Structure formats: structure tokens, C-alpha cells
Amino acid sequence: MTNLHRLSIRELSEGLQQGKFSSRELTQHYLKRIEKIDAQVKSYVTVTPELALNQADAADAAIKAGNATALAGIPLAHKDIFCTQGVRTSAGSKMLDNFISPYDATVVVKAKEAGLVTLGKVNMDEFAMGSTSESSYYGATKNPWNLDYVPGGSSGGSAAVVAADLAPFATGTDTGGSIRQPASFCGLTGLKPTYGRVSRFGIIAFASSLDQAGPMARSAEDCAYLMNVIAGHDAKDSTSVDKEVDDYVANMNATSVKGLRIGIPKQYFNVAGLAADVKARVEESLKKLEDMGAILVEVDLNMVEAYVPTYYLIAPAEASSNLSRYDGVRYGYRCENPVDLMDLYKRSRSEGFGEEVKRRILIGTYALSAGYYDAYYVKAQKVRRLIQQDFLKAFEQVDVIAAPSAPTTAYKIGANLSPTEMYLGDVYTLAVNLAGLPAINAPVGLDDHNLPVGLQLIGNYWSESQLLSIVHQYQQNTDFHTQRAAIAEENA
Ligand code: GLN
């Protein structure tokens, strides 16, 4: 069977349960594809064939015994930010290149309990800071649609593996857009859940009040299957919320697009850097939703100019605090031959962290320092509240809010944007994390260079089910999500 990598999660589940193919066959199929294609895409940091085949055999045994869960035996790739017991967890950093995690993240535990098979760990920007995956210690991952372009970031490896058919779905994390933007750049569906919906336990921390894990896959339905596995309260994460979890798969058609009020923030469509072809594809997708019965309503989101500066104070501030644990003493990289303790700290951190991470530690430390704390950090927190209130006001009028996921399509590898240019590319995703809201990216066509464009739908708190359902119905009426990246076509 050569076409196993083309099957949806539902089809994989049915095929496995009906004995059309075994998990071992399926897993071997993916491992062979990785061996054949990944030298070009460079999406995996660590492949775990032994672990995968052991898990596959266990799933096959459970299926035979008739006590397997629905997803047992289906392969999955984890962003290399999720701690995996006995397997290197690098966060894309030299600092953690030698770190073998002694425990599993809750998301990883839940995936194991569901019988999913771990293919390996995939590339990302160092400590999830970036929008291209180029800041990884392991080098850049390529965009499967065109290998000269980036897959986006920071979950670029997660997007690339799915787009190149090197894993049926993948986990990602989103602190300021890192699920939605790479999903947009690689033509995938990716969901950033409400803050607190998915446990952060065992996820290497970047900015704790913004970080959230979610699924990246080809379709809303595939994302829903993974959400059913990873969502839920966790006593090990005090910010995870003890609230009933929806059955995202069963609710796939629960929200009607007919009569759905979609807010169009006019300020978003006047952003200077918004590319014409991105704007055109997004507007076409909104027209399509309107044809399906949605009502488009103009809304005001007035704080757009504050998004980038607010996020780029709060995220580095939290990062500077979180990353202080990498001191060369406890775990991770340690410099050679330190002359004294100060030298050990200094050189371990200077040599272990990359440029972007250092930049953020400096910004964050500055913003939190005694003389500037009120002027920068406290002020940013106040603006953050205003941004949240702006959204809540809009949700009094509409059910969801539509926006591009990014102002452009993928950048060329090595384009070498300045930090500010790069940060401005996050304008459409950051506010969602600042407010703690859920949002989804759906592919809505290609630009003039045949690179994917994404539509973002932002929902009110706990509306993951609704967002998945809306995108599912859009995908029943369109075929953008079935278009395949060039390298996937060449290796069909
Ligand atoms: N691009 C944003 C940043 O560099 C978002 C990253 C993320 O969501 N992890 O911070």
C-alpha cells in the first residue's frame, strides 16, 4: 500500500480498526518516507523509530484484542518543545542539545494513552522565538511547497512534516502565532486553543501567560481528533482550567454557518504590510462563507497599533525570567573549563543561547528592571487588558472575528528581515494570545507564487468546537485543504 500517507485521521482509524493495514505497516511507511524525503525538508530533529515501532506493536495488539481506543496506532510528530521521557528535548537550542528529558509532558502522556505512535521530534525556532524556524540550532526547515522558502515559525517543523506527508498530524505551541502562522505558510489547519484548555506541564516555557499547545493537521476534522486527545484539566498545571471538554469530533457539524455573524475588523484590512494577494484570497474566503449563509458585520478593533509593542514587552519579560534557569549548573549546556562561578554562568549562557534568544533576554530584563518596571512592564499589562476588552466588545456583536493569519505568505529562506520587520509580521496573531482567546487558521488558496494563504477565525473563550465546526463546513464546500505541497506531489 503506497498511499497510506494520503489518508485522513478518520480513514486511518477505520483502516486500522478494520485490519486493512497494521500500525506497524503504517509506521514503517512513514519512517521510510522520512528517510527518503526529510533530507530535503529537514523537519525532524530526532526520529524515534524504535519507540515508534514498539508503540505500533502495542497498538496492533490492542486492536487485535478488541480494546483499542479510536486513534490507536496512528503516528504523530511532536514539536521539540514537549518533554519526552528518554528522548532528547532540545527546544531548537544548543542549550538543550544534550537534554534527555526524565519525564513526559502531559500532552505526550495523553497521546501515549490514546495509543498514538511517536515518530519523533520536529524542528522549531530556538525556544519558540521566531517566525521562520531559522533560529533553530539545527538549521532551517524548508517549506514543502517550495524549498527556497521558510515554513514559518516557531512550529515550522510541525507544519512541514504534515505538509510533506511525513506525519499525519503534529503538536505545536502558540505563544504569539506559532501554530497559526506556520499553518498558514504551509497550507494547513491549525488551532490555538483558549489559554488553559490544554496543559502546559512539560512544555519548555517561553512566555507562560501566553503559551498554549494545539493541533496542526490537514483539516479541521483531523485537528478535532487530536484536540479530543490533548484538551482538558491537569492538576500539574495550575493555569489549566477545570471545565468540561467538548467532543470536538462529534461536534464537527454542530455550528451552523447559516446565520453565523462574522466580524470584519476594518482596521485589520488597512494594515500597511498586508499583501494584495493575501487580502484578495482572504476576502474570497469570506465571500464563500457569506454564500454559505454567514452574515459579515464590520466591527472595530482599535488597538492594532499596540499589539506588536505590547507583546514584544510582555513575552520577552516572561522569557527572561523563564530562561534564567539555564545557568550551566543544573542541566543543559555547560561551557568548558570555567575559571569560577561567574565565568561558568556567563560563558554557558553566552555560548548556549542564540542571537534572538539573547535579544529577548536583554529586552525582558531591561523592561523588568527596577527603574523601568512601571514605565514598560506595568504599562504593557494595562494595554493588554484594553486589548482584551476591545475583543469582548466586538463579541457582543458577532460570533467570530475574521482576519488574515499573516500579512504575507512565506518568506524566502535567508531573507534576513530585521527584528522589527519580523515582529511586524506577527501583527494578526499576537492579540489573540494577549487576550487568551482561541483562533484557527484555515488554508484559503495560493498567492502569485503558489504559496498558501491562510484565513484566521478568532472565537470567544472556549469556542474551539465552534471554530473547528465552521472550518469543517468551509472545507466540505472547498478543496484548498486537499491541495498538496510540491514535494508531497513529487513523492505521491
Ligand atoms: N513569532 C512570535 C515570536 O517570535 C510568536 C512565536 C510563538 O508563538 N512561539 O515571539
Side-chain angles (χ1 to χ4, degrees):
M1 241 182 263
T2 54
N3 263 344
L4 290 175
H5 55 275
R6 291 260 161 152
L7 301 181
S8 70
I9 301 299
R10 177 188 292 279
E11 290 165 337
L12 287 174
S13 169
E14 286 168 3
L16 285 163
Q17 305 284 339
Q18 293 163 8
K20 286 192 189 146
F21 45 85
S22 68
S23 174
R24 176 168 267 269
E25 283 172 284
L26 177 62
T27 303
Q28 272 171 337
H29 177 79
Y30 269 106
L31 290 171
K32 270 194 212 128
R33 278 184 72 81
I34 293 167
E35 216 169 281
K36 183 169 160 221
I37 304 169
D38 201 41
Q40 293 173 71
V41 185
K42 297 190 191 310
S43 53
Y44 278 88
V45 173
T46 307
V47 185
T48 54
E50 232 172 275
L51 170 67
L53 290 170
N54 283 337
Q55 290 176 329
D57 289 343
D60 283 332
I63 292 168
K64 256 210 186 109
N67 54 18
T69 51
L71 298 189
I74 299 179
L76 168 75
H78 285 299
K79 184 176 181 179
D80 207 13
I81 200 167
F82 291 88
C83 283
T84 39
Q85 189 174 12
V87 176
R88 175 174 59 184
T89 301
S90 75
S93 182
K94 179 177 177 183
M95 187 58 89
L96 291 176
D97 181 50
N98 64 1
F99 176 59
I100 309 290
S101 175
Y103 68 102
D104 278 329
T106 295
V107 164
V108 173
V109 171
K110 286 179 172 237
K112 281 185 178 171
E113 283 169 0
L116 291 165
V117 169
T118 312
L119 290 172
K121 309 291 294 291
V122 293
N123 204 17
M124 54 181 283
D125 280 299
E126 185 178 7
F127 285 103
M129 299 174 192
S131 309
T132 65
S133 301
E134 289 170 294
S135 74
S136 169
Y137 174 58
Y138 304 96
T141 293
K142 314 288 170 67
N143 189 315
W145 290 79
N146 183 330
L147 301 177
D148 294 334
Y149 288 77
V150 303
S154 65
S155 312
S158 307
V161 281
V162 180
D165 292 337
L166 297 176
F169 52 12
T171 54
T173 61
D174 191 313
T175 303
S178 281
I179 287 176
R180 292 159 285 156
Q181 184 258 28
S184 172
F185 282 12
C186 290
L188 303 176
T189 309
L191 174 72
K192 183 259 166 205
T194 306
Y195 184 78
R197 182 69 297 176
V198 177
S199 169
R200 291 185 297 110
F201 180 77
I203 298 174
I204 307 237
F206 165 10
S208 308
S209 77
L210 303 162
D211 297 344
Q212 188 61 197
M216 301 174 71
R218 292 182 203 115
S219 67
E221 188 183 66
D222 288 2
C223 282
Y225 276 103
L226 192 48
M227 269 305 278
N228 272 5
V229 172
I230 64 174
H233 177 244
D234 178 12
K236 292 180 179 150
D237 171 7
S238 61
T239 62
S240 83
V241 175
D242 195 359
K243 186 179 187 331
E244 210 188 318
V245 180
D246 293 321
D247 183 334
Y248 302 100
V249 176
N251 286 350
M252 221 58 256
N253 290 304
T255 302
S256 176
V257 172
K258 219 180 191 116
L260 183 82
R261 292 164 305 163
I262 302 180
I264 315 290
K266 58 174 179 286
Q267 293 84 354
Y268 280 36
F269 288 82
N270 291 329
V271 165
L274 178 57
D277 40 9
V278 171
K279 190 174 181 198
R281 289 305 92 75
V282 168
E283 282 173 350
E284 286 157 23
S285 71
L286 293 171
K287 177 82 189 45
K288 177 77 196 173
L289 285 161
E290 197 176 28
D291 291 344
M292 290 166 59
I295 303 157
L296 306 185
V297 183
E298 201 174 271
V299 292
D300 274 311
L301 286 176
N302 288 307
M303 304 287 296
V304 186
E305 276 164 26
Y307 294 171
V308 174
T310 306
Y311 171 89
Y312 278 98
L313 269 166
I314 292 173
E318 293 187 19
S320 73
S321 164
N322 274 324
L323 272 59
S324 65
R325 72 191 70 178
Y326 305 106
D327 57 2
V329 176
R330 286 170 282 199
Y331 60 103
Y333 178 79
R334 177 180 298 175
C335 69
E336 277 180 33
N337 306 320
V339 294
D340 57 22
L341 187 62
M342 266 334 259
D343 186 45
L344 168 76
Y345 288 156
K346 246 195 201 160
R347 281 203 292 122
S348 297
R349 288 170 66 82
S350 301
E351 294 164 19
F353 289 136
E355 193 182 300
E356 183 60 25
V357 172
K358 286 182 195 159
R359 180 177 296 118
R360 306 237 183 156
I361 291 174
L362 288 176
I363 296 171
T365 309
Y366 182 82
L368 291 177
S369 60
Y372 297 103
Y373 182 79
D374 290 315
Y376 293 114
Y377 184 71
V378 172
K379 190 158 182 194
Q381 290 289 24
K382 289 179 178 166
V383 179
R384 178 179 189 172
R385 175 54 61 94
L386 294 177
I387 291 170
Q388 181 206 25
Q389 286 171 351
D390 213 25
F391 275 110
L392 292 181
K393 227 171 78 203
F395 284 125
E396 286 171 11
Q397 291 173 61
V398 295
D399 302 304
V400 294
I401 292 168
S405 286
T408 65
T409 52
Y411 317 114
K412 265 227 159 104
I413 290 178
N416 236 338
L417 303 184
S418 71
T420 13
E421 283 170 325
M422 184 81 84
Y423 300 166
L424 286 170
D426 297 332
V427 62
Y428 292 121
T429 47
L430 303 174
V432 164
N433 302 70
L434 289 169
L437 295 165
I440 195 166
N441 176 77
V444 293
L446 305 177
D447 75 354
D448 302 342
H449 296 88
N450 278 331
L451 291 166
V453 175
L455 163 72
Q456 180 180 203
L457 293 176
I458 304 166
N460 210 333
Y461 297 105
W462 315 111
S463 65
E464 292 74 13
S465 201
Q466 194 185 9
L467 293 174
L468 289 165
S469 178
I470 296 163
V471 171
H472 177 64
Q473 287 165 71
Y474 175 79
Q475 292 178 338
Q476 301 297 100
N477 286 279
T478 53
D479 60 5
F480 301 118
H481 66 293
T482 65
Q483 294 178 357
R484 284 306 214 262
I487 196 146
E489 280 303 337
E490 286 159 29
N491 295 278

